[in-house]
Amino acid sequence: MKKDKLFKKQNMFMMPTIYFLIVIALVVNIFIFFNQHYYLSVYVEGQSMSPTLNVNLETKVINATTRKIFNVNFGYVDQHKEIKKTIKRFDIVTTYYPWDDYKQPYEKGSKVDKNAYYKIKRIIALPGDTFKIDGRNLCLKIGDEWVEEEMDFVREGATRYTDEIIVGKNEYYVAGDNWGNSTDCSDHNGGEKAPIYYENITGVLVAIQGTCTL
């Protein structure tokens, strides 16, 4: 009789524990699936998007060849196909740069190099836009008129100038906010202007959660 009672007590303890572990396992798997297929956790390395991102970036030299990076921003990127179809001007996106050293020409549909750069940049111009950059202003051609819009997110004191650029179908012109310290569409292929393509955009930044230490 005592053994039966002990068995029942053990059973009463074990069953809730087993259920709890099953629930935890399900939650973890759902989170992993959700994270991998819809939202991606990212941290921002480097200063190309400063001052919007990594404004307090610090580095510490450990030895002659190694630097430790501190206080980088981290957040979430929405990878839904639907949000990629509704990208707006000045959205911050993640994108692959298919060329491996920024000097090789790239055509739509080319195979992405296995060492392709993965970047976070801001959308400046959308498919079909005719535009130019004049100092800190984005000049958009609408009909026969040029409309200026100040890009107040650009790092203070930075300027950039381009000739008239026509953005093709499914093409995007992206740039970092830290002009002068950003490798982007303005200086691909030895200084030539070159777009990225819709197929290279992997998601849209939807939230910055805070900072972490690397």
Side-chain angles (χ1 to χ4, degrees):
M1 182 67 76
K2 288 183 178 180
K3 287 184 179 180
D4 289 342
K5 288 183 177 179
L6 181 61
F7 179 75
K8 286 180 180 178
K9 286 182 179 179
Q10 288 175 338
N11 243 6
M12 290 175 64
F13 172 76
M14 289 180 63
M15 292 309 293
T17 303
I18 291 171
Y19 288 140
F20 176 74
L21 292 174
I22 290 172
V23 170
I24 292 295
L26 285 172
V27 169
V28 169
N29 278 283
I30 289 170
F31 174 79
I32 292 172
F33 177 84
F34 185 74
N35 190 61
Q36 288 179 340
H37 293 276
Y38 296 103
Y39 289 91
L40 177 69
S41 301
V42 297
Y43 69 87
V44 182
E45 187 175 351
Q47 301 181 38
S48 70
M49 283 300 294
S50 176
T52 306
L53 304 174
N54 284 359
V55 65
N56 295 316
L57 182 71
E58 302 173 49
T59 59
K60 179 181 179 182
V61 177
I62 297 175
N63 56 49
T65 58
T66 305
R67 294 189 305 166
K68 186 174 179 61
I69 301 172
F70 292 86
N71 301 330
V72 300
N73 285 129
F74 69 94
Y76 295 97
V77 170
D78 190 339
Q79 299 184 108
H80 284 84
K81 290 182 179 179
E82 289 74 16
I83 199 167
K84 284 180 61 178
K85 292 176 182 177
T86 58
I87 289 173
K88 302 182 296 298
R89 192 184 324 281
F90 302 144
D91 279 349
I92 296 175
V93 300
T94 51
T95 177
Y96 280 102
Y97 280 22
W99 44 91
D100 60 353
D101 61 4
Y102 297 106
K103 296 179 181 178
Q104 300 301 319
Y106 173 75
E107 299 296 334
K108 184 178 180 182
S110 297
K111 185 177 179 181
V112 175
D113 187 273
K114 65 179 180 179
N115 297 315
Y117 288 80
Y118 188 57
K119 296 291 185 180
I120 184 164
K121 301 294 178 184
R122 190 183 296 275
I123 297 285
I124 301 298
L126 299 166
D129 279 348
T130 298
F131 78 100
K132 57 186 176 182
I133 296 175
D134 183 14
R136 297 172 63 87
N137 293 326
L138 173 67
C139 304
L140 287 168
K141 193 171 186 179
I142 301 176
D144 295 326
E145 301 290 327
W146 286 96
V147 178
E148 288 190 0
E149 185 169 353
E150 184 178 5
M151 294 183 282
D152 54 7
F153 46 79
V154 174
R155 191 176 185 87
E156 186 177 353
T159 57
R160 196 177 261 185
Y161 298 88
T162 71
D163 296 327
E164 180 179 312
I165 298 171
I166 299 174
V167 186
K169 183 180 179 181
N170 292 325
E171 294 180 356
Y172 294 85
Y173 187 97
V174 300
D177 292 354
N178 189 5
W179 293 355
N181 195 12
S182 171
T183 302
D184 50 48
C185 285
S186 285
D187 52 7
H188 161 55
N189 199 16
E192 295 296 323
K193 311 298 182 290
I196 61 168
Y197 296 95
Y198 175 83
E199 66 192 62
N200 304 127
I201 295 175
T202 59
V204 178
L205 184 71
V206 291
I208 286 294
Q209 297 296 101
T211 59
C212 62
T213 301
L214 297 181

